[in-house]
Amino acid sequence: MCTPNIQLKDPKIADAAALYALIDQDRTNLSRWLPWAATTTSTADERIFLRYCQGQMADKQLWLAVIWVDQQPAGMIDLHEFKDGHADIGYWLGRNFRGQGIISHSLAMAENIGFTHLKCHKLELLAATDNHPSRRVAERNHYHQDGILRQHIPIQDGYSDAVVYSKLKSEFHPN
């Protein structure tokens, strides 16, 4: 199997249609873990979101990138909730791009940005306790399991417990 060409690019309004198509084709699965997927119901909604993100990025409240694989948008990854040298990591990937190491590679690039450029001390990743693929990403990428937050993540029918994972700058080893 050939390793895909993975790049992280600043979000562009022109990416909205392709990103919306990824969401729309996997809405049921994405909505299970990410409530916004159920309410993103048009390309216009995605354009509004991208404009909002561009504003947050300009205000240094967010770092966000579109994950591109072999010249096509595949998902997104971000660092948010900057406070006291900490940032939270969020990501999603379209159905056809999963299981190829794309998120792990993108996460390594985001870590480099977070620790090197944004001078973070700690990155945190939350995953619903039953979101085993996301938990495997954290564990495979050497994140420490810090604990469980009870009924922390809003999901379709209530709240899910969340596993908190973290990586410290001292644990970061760039390739």
Side-chain angles (χ1 to χ4, degrees):
M1 179 160 97
C2 197
T3 302
N5 177 22
I6 302 166
Q7 296 177 301
L8 300 184
K9 296 183 182 181
D10 286 340
K12 307 265 186 280
I13 301 305
D15 300 336
L19 290 168
Y20 175 71
L22 290 172
I23 295 164
D24 196 41
Q25 84 176 168
D26 197 24
R27 183 177 311 284
T28 301
N29 180 61
L30 289 172
S31 295
R32 184 171 173 205
W33 312 115
L34 305 165
W36 56 260
T39 59
T40 303
T41 59
S42 68
T43 300
D45 288 343
E46 187 64 18
R47 275 194 298 270
I48 290 166
F49 173 72
L50 291 172
R51 281 191 194 99
Y52 169 78
C53 290
Q54 289 172 334
Q56 290 290 102
M57 290 172 71
D59 291 340
K60 309 282 190 231
Q61 300 299 308
L62 172 72
W63 173 86
L64 178 134
V66 176
I67 301 168
W68 285 74
V69 176
D70 295 331
Q71 311 307 315
Q72 59 183 332
M76 300 178 96
I77 190 164
D78 72 85
L79 300 173
H80 58 278
E81 300 294 328
F82 297 105
K83 184 177 180 186
D84 299 328
H86 301 184
D88 291 348
I89 300 168
Y91 56 80
W92 67 271
L93 201 58
R95 171 177 58 212
N96 295 336
F97 298 96
R98 295 185 197 130
Q100 302 172 47
I102 294 166
I103 282 295
S104 289
H105 187 79
S106 300
L107 183 57
M109 290 188 282
E111 288 172 4
N112 188 50
I113 289 164
F115 290 127
T116 305
H117 301 290
L118 301 175
K119 307 297 183 204
C120 291
H121 169 71
K122 179 179 178 179
L123 298 178
E124 292 183 336
L125 191 156
L126 291 180
T129 52
D130 345 350
N131 187 342
H132 300 291
S134 201
R135 292 185 65 183
R136 280 192 298 274
V137 165
E139 292 161 4
R140 199 172 31 249
N141 289 280
H142 310 289
Y143 277 70
H144 178 267
Q145 183 176 329
D146 293 341
I148 296 182
L149 299 173
R150 297 182 312 146
Q151 296 189 12
H152 188 76
I153 299 176
I155 56 173
Q156 289 174 335
D157 56 352
Y159 287 86
S160 170
D161 291 352
V163 183
V164 181
Y165 293 94
S166 69
K167 184 178 277 191
L168 302 176
K169 185 174 184 172
S170 61
E171 299 166 335
F172 171 64
H173 305 290
N175 295 334

